[in-house]
């Protein structure tokens, strides 16, 4: 079972590895894009947590669900991203996707809760 997941992972991420190793510009583009995604996700989470307000019985549930989504995204990233090569880049992508998923949940929840007031 583990061998199949490694083969599937290599099938998807090996072309990315070969592209990134062709030149330093490609590698820097990959690092820059992952850092940009991480920054956008962190800003998204920060902004919507500030918009939702201080922790109370309503927002605590929203924050816990947001953290759960982030945890699930990290676990999913651990399952799909290879650990044999380029683990630093995939580490950044894993956390970028986790922050983005959490931020998108907070944005949807904010729009759902406060759309009647806008």
């Amino acid at each position: 079972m583990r061998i199949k997941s490694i083969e599937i992972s290599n099938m998807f991420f090996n072309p990315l590895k070969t592209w990134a190793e062709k030149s330093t510009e490609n590698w820097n583009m990959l690092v820059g894009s992952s850092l940009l995604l991480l920054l956008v996700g962190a800003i998204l989470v920060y902004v919507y947590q500030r918009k939702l307000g201080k922790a109370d019985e309503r927002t605590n549930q929203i924050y816990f669900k947001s953290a759960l989504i982030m945890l699930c995204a990290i676990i999913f990233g651990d399952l799909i991203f290879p650990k044999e090569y380029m683990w630093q880049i995939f580490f950044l992508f894993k956390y970028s996707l986790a922050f983005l998923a959490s931020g998108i949940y907070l944005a949807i929840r904010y729009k759902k809760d406060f759309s009647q007031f806008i």
Side-chain angles (χ1 to χ4, degrees):
M1 178 90 175
R2 178 71 179 148
I3 295 172
K4 294 288 186 186
S5 66
I6 291 173
E7 290 174 4
I8 292 172
S9 178
N10 284 336
M11 181 178 69
F12 287 116
F13 296 111
N14 206 13
L16 181 65
K17 176 187 172 199
T18 57
W19 175 80
E21 290 177 346
K22 279 186 181 178
S23 71
T24 56
E25 293 171 357
N26 293 349
W27 182 264
N28 290 338
M29 192 181 316
L30 196 60
V31 170
S33 64
S34 62
L35 285 174
L36 182 68
L37 279 174
L38 183 67
L39 184 65
V40 167
I43 289 172
L44 194 63
V45 168
Y46 177 75
V47 165
Y48 280 105
Q49 279 187 347
R50 296 286 291 182
K51 280 186 172 187
L52 284 171
K54 294 185 178 186
D56 58 7
E57 57 274 353
R58 180 187 60 86
T59 57
N60 274 342
Q61 291 179 348
I62 296 171
Y63 294 152
F64 288 147
K65 182 117 186 219
S66 171
L68 179 66
I69 289 171
M70 191 178 290
L71 176 67
C72 290
I74 290 170
I75 291 171
F76 182 70
D78 278 338
L79 292 175
I80 64 167
F81 290 132
K83 293 160 190 58
E84 293 82 29
Y85 51 87
M86 293 177 32
W87 65 270
Q88 302 96 343
I89 301 297
F90 292 130
F91 183 81
L92 276 173
F93 273 119
K94 176 176 63 174
Y95 282 95
S96 300
L97 293 175
F99 275 104
L100 278 174
S102 178
I104 289 170
Y105 169 75
L106 288 172
I108 291 170
R109 188 65 193 248
Y110 176 78
K111 185 171 175 125
K112 182 178 136 185
D113 286 352
F114 295 105
S115 65
Q116 61 193 0
F117 301 119
I118 296 176

